[in-house]
Amino acid sequence: MFDIAIKAADGASLPECQFQQSDFWTAFKARHGWSQRCLSVSVRKAGSGGEPSVFSCSVLVRTFGRAPFAASIAYIPMAPECSCVPGCAADPGAAPSCVDSYAVFLEEFAARCMEFLPRGTLCVRYDVPVDFSSCAERDAYVDSVKNLALADGMRLRKSEVDIQPPDTTVVDLTRPLEAVLDGMKPKWRYNVRLAARKGVSVRALRAGEPEFDSYFDSFYRLFKETAERDGIAVHTRQYCRDLLECSAERRRADASAPDAALYVAEHGGGRIAGIITLVSGREAVYLYGASGNEKRNLMPAYLLQWTAMQDAKGAGAERYDLYGMPPEDDEGHPMHGLYRFKTGFGGALVHRPGTFDVPVGALYPLYVAAERFRAFWHKKILKKIRGR
């Protein structure tokens, strides 16, 4: 259906807001076992004489084991965009033909990528950058892709494990700051002002700045407290520190590189909460949050978010992605409190289809079984242990 030409590229030509496709993100992930293939892509409809769509994207590769028994997965986060595919609109849910074209392209693109991937690659994995405003629309889209794959004998399948959070809420920062604050729920505005009135202050730091080490140590201590209190898994200390350090290193060479910042809330000489955010072009993302078991009544988490939003707008960001929450307002969900907290800031709900795989190796089913067990272990067993 498509004529696809691919060659190695020196760097990615990508939407400036997609931090997962940036050179910064590649350098950061390289510190944690991933390598990169940057590909320049030209695609047109088969038999079409029109101008091809040209774009480039970053493919992350993770290899397990050693030759001759090594196996790899190839992961393409938040790319390619639907609008890059001939026959597709910016809104892939607009017409069935668009869903079909995009799905077929993902499968054909995976096949063409193989010459750039290691032998023993098990699958090409996508987190597709497709946004819907409701769960119903998102679920209908996923069902359409599944039905198409089944009817046409395609290998494309929905992964059982989503890599990037599929559900989020995004605050519009193109408005004046007063309008952003007014767009929050009344209790959220009250809590922002309460924290400031009670003497909570917020400090923003980047890696390499004076006192960064001390503030990062405080943040990670709070991060572990949060994990123990809520029964959740968190990234390692080194992972979080590398994220901040890699951003600072990149920005020393290129001031337009994504800006990762640590925000810490203080009161009475103590550090009581913190967040890590990332500003990438027009988008800011709230990645990680931590709060202590003391002074939570001072509402530092609200002032942290409001401060980060103000800074993001000042840096040119047009939206603030709170990045990851339950899909719906379900009081029975174990993370319902997270849904309430994030939606209270007045953002628009965004639901993405999540992760899709194109299996290309015979051992792919074993890898899926291992992922399924790992998810069960972390979500059921470890969470229960931590809860105790």
Side-chain angles (χ1 to χ4, degrees):
M1 188 171 182
F2 294 97
D3 292 327
I4 303 173
I6 303 177
K7 62 181 180 180
D10 294 330
S13 172
L14 45 96
E16 60 180 278
C17 63
Q18 297 293 3
F19 70 91
Q20 299 98 332
Q21 283 286 310
S22 68
D23 291 336
F24 146 74
W25 192 250
T26 299
F28 163 59
K29 298 300 283 186
R31 299 187 184 189
H32 296 272
W34 295 84
S35 60
Q36 181 202 35
R37 309 290 190 276
C38 189
L39 305 179
S40 177
V41 184
S42 172
V43 55
R44 58 160 56 95
K45 283 274 192 178
S48 168
E51 287 294 316
S53 174
V54 179
F55 63 94
S56 57
C57 69
S58 176
V59 183
L60 296 174
V61 177
R62 184 72 178 265
T63 299
F64 310 91
R66 298 182 180 180
F69 305 107
S72 303
I73 61 168
Y75 174 47
I76 308 177
M78 304 307 288
E81 291 201 330
C82 193
S83 58
C84 295
V85 180
C88 291
D91 176 7
S97 60
C98 186
V99 176
D100 295 356
S101 295
Y102 190 51
V104 170
F105 171 78
L106 293 179
E107 178 145 334
E108 294 185 0
F109 183 59
R112 289 289 294 114
C113 284
M114 290 307 297
E115 65 180 285
F116 300 93
L117 301 177
R119 296 179 67 180
T121 296
L122 303 178
C123 69
V124 176
R125 171 164 286 181
Y126 300 93
D127 263 308
V128 293
V130 179
D131 295 353
F132 296 95
S133 59
S134 73
C135 290
E137 292 174 328
R138 183 263 308 280
D139 295 344
Y141 175 81
V142 172
D143 288 341
S144 295
V145 174
K146 289 180 178 178
N147 293 336
L148 173 68
L150 182 64
D152 291 1
M154 298 168 61
R155 291 174 295 169
L156 182 69
R157 54 166 289 170
K158 181 72 179 71
S159 173
E160 295 184 27
V161 178
D162 290 320
I163 307 302
Q164 301 299 325
D167 303 286
T168 186
T169 180
V170 181
V171 176
D172 178 10
L173 296 182
T174 62
R175 301 168 294 170
L177 286 172
E178 295 79 4
V180 176
L181 189 61
D182 287 344
M184 298 180 190
K185 292 181 179 178
K187 183 66 173 178
W188 272 242
R189 292 195 301 272
Y190 175 83
N191 287 342
V192 167
R193 291 164 176 152
L194 172 70
R197 191 169 65 248
K198 293 293 185 178
V200 176
S201 61
V202 174
R203 182 167 178 182
L205 301 99
R206 274 77 176 171
E209 293 181 349
E211 298 189 85
F212 170 79
D213 290 345
S214 174
Y215 276 84
F216 179 81
D217 289 345
S218 297
F219 168 81
Y220 200 77
R221 172 182 56 79
L222 295 167
F223 203 32
K224 290 195 295 183
E225 280 188 30
T226 303
E228 292 168 3
R229 183 179 64 242
D230 297 342
I232 58 175
V234 295
H235 286 296
T236 65
R237 174 190 180 87
Q238 193 60 50
Y239 187 94
C240 296
R241 189 177 180 99
D242 283 347
L243 174 71
L244 292 155
E245 289 182 346
C246 191
S247 171
E249 291 168 7
R250 287 275 163 174
R251 286 180 61 79
R252 281 193 285 271
D254 178 6
S256 67
D259 180 19
L262 170 66
Y263 288 83
V264 176
E266 300 177 279
H267 183 268
R271 297 162 188 172
I272 58 176
I275 62 175
I276 294 177
T277 67
L278 183 72
V279 176
S280 180
R282 298 186 303 274
E283 183 172 63
V285 183
Y286 161 46
L287 293 175
Y288 308 115
S291 61
N293 296 324
E294 299 179 358
K295 298 189 176 182
R296 298 176 69 191
N297 60 311
L298 299 181
M299 306 300 169
Y302 297 83
L303 185 60
L304 281 165
Q305 294 294 342
W306 174 232
T307 303
M309 288 179 196
Q310 293 176 85
D311 289 353
K313 181 175 175 62
E318 297 178 357
R319 50 191 178 270
Y320 186 89
D321 189 339
L322 281 119
Y323 207 59
M325 64 182 191
E328 296 178 297
D329 188 6
D330 176 8
E331 293 186 1
H333 195 286
M335 301 299 288
H336 180 247
L338 188 66
Y339 181 96
R340 290 187 65 253
F341 174 71
K342 292 190 174 183
T343 56
F345 289 100
L349 298 178
V350 175
H351 305 280
R352 301 181 178 114
T355 304
F356 285 83
D357 291 346
V358 178
V360 293
L363 296 181
Y364 172 77
L366 292 179
Y367 180 75
V368 170
E371 275 194 323
R372 188 183 301 121
F373 175 77
R374 182 177 182 273
F376 171 79
W377 176 258
H378 281 277
K379 292 181 179 180
K380 301 295 184 181
I381 306 301
L382 285 185
K383 187 169 184 178
K384 184 176 292 186
I385 293 172
R386 292 190 184 101
R388 292 173 183 169

